[in-house]
């Protein structure tokens, strides 16, 4: 329209552009631009002002749509980043817990040392008990042997009585 300085209808514009007849209805910014050019060609100031306002509104609508799409994309990205951050925090918390469970506190270390000392004392007590039992066995055998020796050294009452009846001498 600018080159030929001839106003074209919306139908003629869509026919020459080889697009769907509703194309300008869906693209209000292009329709407003076409109306602005028609008003300029007709030298109709009020119509040109209305077309400029419509063009600005259409441009703002297009810009608003683009901003909404960007906002939606940014929200998706934000959700993805938040999910990654949650995952990283969970892994870090898990690592801290694992390290915390693996690391011994001073109290745990002290308890472990006391358990080792107790186990060593119990083992020494068992060894002492075993040695004591061995000494009891030796003592009991010695007592049996001592009793046998005492019995062998003691005068036999039957021999003593017979020796007392026998006169001394040859």
């Amino acid at each position: 329209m600018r080159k030929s300085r001839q106003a074209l209808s919306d139908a003629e514009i869509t026919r020459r552009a080889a697009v769907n007849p509703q194309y300008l209805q869906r693209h209000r910014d292009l329709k407003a631009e076409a109306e602005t050019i028609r008003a300029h060609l007709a030298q109709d100031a009020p119509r040109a002002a209305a077309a400029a306002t419509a063009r600005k509104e259409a441009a703002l609508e297009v810009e608003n749509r683009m901003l909404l799409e960007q906002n939606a994309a940014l929200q998706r990205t934000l959700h993805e980043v938040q999910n990654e951050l949650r995952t990283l925090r969970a892994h870090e918390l898990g690592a801290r817990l694992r390290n915390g469970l693996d690391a011994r506190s001073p109290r745990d270390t002290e308890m472990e040392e006391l358990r080792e000392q107790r186990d060593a004392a119990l083992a020494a007590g068992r060894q002492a008990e075993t040695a004591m039992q061995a000494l009891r066995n030796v003592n009991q055998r010695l007592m049996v042997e001592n009793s046998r020796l005492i019995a062998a050294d003691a005068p036999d009452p039957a021999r003593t009585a017979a020796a007392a009846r026998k006169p001394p001498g040859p």
Side-chain angles (χ1 to χ4, degrees):
M1 285 192 300
R2 282 188 184 132
K3 285 182 183 178
S4 67
R5 299 237 179 246
Q6 181 182 4
L8 301 174
S9 68
D10 289 348
E12 182 63 21
I13 293 171
T14 56
R15 187 187 64 73
R16 287 185 182 186
V19 293
N20 188 318
Q22 284 78 34
Y23 186 83
L24 288 178
Q25 300 302 321
R26 287 192 306 264
H27 297 277
R28 288 184 42 191
D29 58 327
L30 295 176
K31 182 175 176 79
E33 179 69 21
E35 185 59 32
T36 302
I37 294 171
R38 282 188 208 111
H40 180 66
L41 290 174
Q43 294 181 350
D44 186 354
R47 186 173 162 195
T53 302
R55 190 171 99 195
K56 286 179 186 176
E57 286 177 3
L60 289 173
E61 200 174 287
V62 168
E63 185 178 358
N64 190 34
R65 193 174 335 120
M66 288 174 33
L67 290 172
L68 288 172
E69 289 173 5
Q70 286 177 347
N71 189 13
L74 288 171
Q75 284 181 346
R76 284 190 300 273
T77 303
L78 177 63
H79 289 297
E80 291 171 5
V81 168
Q82 285 174 332
N83 287 337
E84 287 180 32
L85 183 59
R86 278 189 210 105
T87 302
L88 290 173
R89 285 181 178 164
H91 286 289
E92 182 180 337
L93 181 59
R96 282 184 186 172
L97 286 174
R98 280 190 299 278
N99 290 340
L101 292 176
D102 291 342
R104 292 186 174 189
S105 69
R107 182 169 169 85
D108 291 343
T109 305
E110 183 180 329
M111 288 299 291
E112 187 64 31
E113 289 174 6
L114 289 173
R115 283 188 187 110
E116 289 174 4
Q117 290 174 5
R118 180 202 62 199
D119 292 346
L122 287 172
R126 283 191 289 273
Q127 287 177 344
E129 184 66 33
T130 302
M132 184 66 103
Q133 186 61 41
L135 288 173
R136 283 188 192 120
N137 290 342
V138 169
N139 190 27
Q140 190 175 24
R141 278 186 270 144
L142 287 174
M143 286 175 52
V144 168
E145 185 65 28
N146 192 23
S147 296
R148 194 174 53 82
L149 288 174
I150 290 174
D153 284 345
D156 189 10
R159 266 198 272 165
T160 311
R165 281 182 274 163
K166 192 176 180 190

